[in-house]
Amino acid sequence: MDVVIYHNPACGTSRNTLALIRHVGIEPHVVEYLKTPPSRAMILGLVKRMDVPLRSLLREKGTPFVELGLGDPDLTDDQLLGAVEAHPLLLNRPIVVSPLGVKLCRPSEAVLDLLPSEDLKPFTKEDGEVVIDAEGRRVR
């Protein structure tokens, strides 16, 4: 299975998502989007495949979101894309692309909807939260 993760290694959610992908035996294509930001066209393509508004992919915490006035509902997608282009940190993460779909994986266990679900092994997040129990069942 071909999987891509738009990843920030400084983010615990992103690290846990990457670990879950690898845990099911998939080595994804890792795009450190702060070093190699996706193009406007790629972002728009991801948004279209997710069937969500562009605004829903913007990150507020730890970004210049407020300073740039990005909460203004009158801003166009073009203006939002310009802000993301200038400040890639505004793009929320991790975004995962698989043959089963595209999703912003917050919380990290949301990635399991995009991965094979048979024969899951137990998995615990960095913070100790159990995501897959000893019987291979997702903990919700």
Side-chain angles (χ1 to χ4, degrees):
M1 178 178 272
D2 197 25
V3 174
V4 176
I5 179 172
Y6 290 89
H7 176 63
N8 179 350
C11 171
T13 301
S14 198
R15 288 191 306 271
N16 281 314
T17 302
L18 178 58
L20 274 163
I21 295 167
R22 288 178 170 154
H23 182 73
V24 300
I26 296 170
E27 185 55 42
H29 302 280
V30 178
V31 178
E32 287 190 34
Y33 74 96
L34 295 178
K35 293 180 181 177
T36 311
S39 68
R40 284 174 174 238
M42 179 61 74
I43 294 169
L44 288 174
L46 293 169
V47 166
K48 183 176 181 176
R49 289 181 65 193
M50 284 189 268
D51 195 27
V52 299
L54 173 62
R55 184 172 290 284
S56 72
L57 291 186
L58 296 182
R59 181 172 177 82
E60 294 182 41
K61 183 180 172 186
T63 74
F65 182 92
V66 172
E67 295 88 333
L68 295 172
L70 298 179
D72 180 348
D74 292 330
L75 292 175
T76 65
D77 281 357
D78 194 53
Q79 290 169 308
L80 296 175
L81 284 168
V84 171
E85 196 169 53
H87 306 278
L89 192 59
L90 287 165
L91 188 62
N92 213 343
R93 77 287 180 157
I95 297 171
V96 176
V97 180
S98 92
L100 300 177
V102 180
K103 185 178 258 198
L104 173 62
C105 293
R106 299 190 74 80
S108 56
E109 54 270 23
V111 75
L112 293 171
D113 295 335
L114 302 176
L115 302 172
S117 60
E118 60 278 344
D119 299 322
L120 293 175
K121 307 285 187 270
F123 183 86
T124 303
K125 291 186 194 181
E126 290 178 1
D127 66 2
E129 181 184 349
V130 175
V131 175
I132 303 171
D133 68 16
E135 285 77 41
R137 294 182 303 240
R138 288 175 68 171
V139 177
R140 297 194 188 244

